[in-house]
Amino acid sequence: MLYLLLGANLGNRALTLRKTVSLINERIGVVTQQSELYETAPWGVTDQPAFLNQVLVVETTLGPEAVLEQTKAIEQELGRVRLERWGARKIDIDLLYYDQLILQTDTLTIPHPYLHQRRFTLVPLAEVAPNFVHPILQKTNAELLAECDDLNEVVPFSPY
C-alpha cells in the first residue's frame, strides 16, 4: 500500500484536493481510503494561509519513482509553483510510506523523513492507518502521534 499526504493552502483548497484524488485514481492507483480533511497551521514557513491536509491509501502497481513522477505531474497540472521550500502552494503531494519499503535516493526518501515530526501528517495518517508500523522507527502511527512534539493546530475541516 502507498500512503500519500495531500496539502493545499492557496485557491479553493477543498476543490483542489477533490481534483487531486480523482487524478490519483486515474494515474497512480485505486484510492482505497481517505482521511477526513483537516485544517492545519503552516509548518516551516509560518507566515502563510492555513492548509487543508488529507491522507490517502492507494493500491498501485507503479514503483516508487514512477509514483513520484506522476505526483509531480499532477501537482504541475493543478498549478503548483515551487518558489520556496515549505512555502504556500496550490497543491502538494508527499509520499509517506510505500508498504514497508525503506528507500533513499537523490530525489526520493521513503518513509518521508519528517512524517513523525508533523501533527498535520500524523493526525490524518493515524486516522486511516493507526496500527501501521513505521519501518525505521518501529512504532505505529498512533504511537508516533502520541509522542509528537509538534503543537500546531490540526482540526477537522468544515466548509460552513
Side-chain angles (χ1 to χ4, degrees):
M1 285 295 177
L2 172 67
Y3 296 82
L4 300 175
L5 174 70
L6 311 183
N9 74 337
L10 297 177
N12 185 330
R13 303 170 303 165
L15 179 61
T16 299
L17 293 186
R18 282 195 302 275
K19 287 180 182 176
T20 303
V21 171
S22 178
L23 290 170
I24 287 169
N25 261 311
E26 289 175 21
R27 300 182 191 170
I28 296 175
V30 177
V31 175
T32 60
Q33 267 186 287
Q34 300 180 51
S35 75
E36 297 297 321
L37 297 180
Y38 291 91
E39 190 155 41
T40 65
W43 189 93
V45 176
T46 57
D47 184 22
Q48 58 181 313
F51 278 83
L52 278 190
N53 289 110
Q54 181 178 39
V55 167
L56 307 179
V57 182
V58 183
E59 278 186 22
T60 185
T61 58
L62 298 179
E65 293 289 347
V67 169
L68 180 63
E69 186 177 301
Q70 288 298 321
T71 61
K72 297 302 173 208
I74 291 168
E75 288 176 345
Q76 187 171 11
E77 184 176 323
L78 293 177
R80 168 86 189 253
V81 178
R82 294 175 185 274
L83 298 175
E84 69 175 319
R85 185 174 187 178
W86 299 322
R89 64 207 80 156
K90 190 151 185 192
I91 185 64
D92 184 40
I93 307 169
D94 287 338
L95 283 72
L96 301 178
Y97 296 120
Y98 192 113
D99 294 321
Q100 289 291 311
L101 180 68
I102 298 171
L103 176 71
Q104 186 156 3
T105 69
D106 291 341
T107 57
L108 183 58
T109 301
I110 300 174
H112 190 286
Y114 301 113
L115 79 82
H116 63 289
Q117 300 171 349
R118 298 170 165 178
R119 282 183 54 77
F120 71 83
T121 302
L122 289 169
V123 169
L125 187 57
E127 177 191 327
V128 297
N131 299 316
F132 184 90
V133 176
H134 190 293
I136 296 171
L137 301 176
Q138 293 300 303
K139 294 182 179 181
T140 67
N141 291 322
E143 290 170 325
L144 293 173
L145 176 57
E147 295 173 2
C148 184
D149 293 333
D150 177 10
L151 301 177
N152 283 340
E153 190 171 49
V154 177
V155 296
F157 175 70
S158 172
Y160 308 106

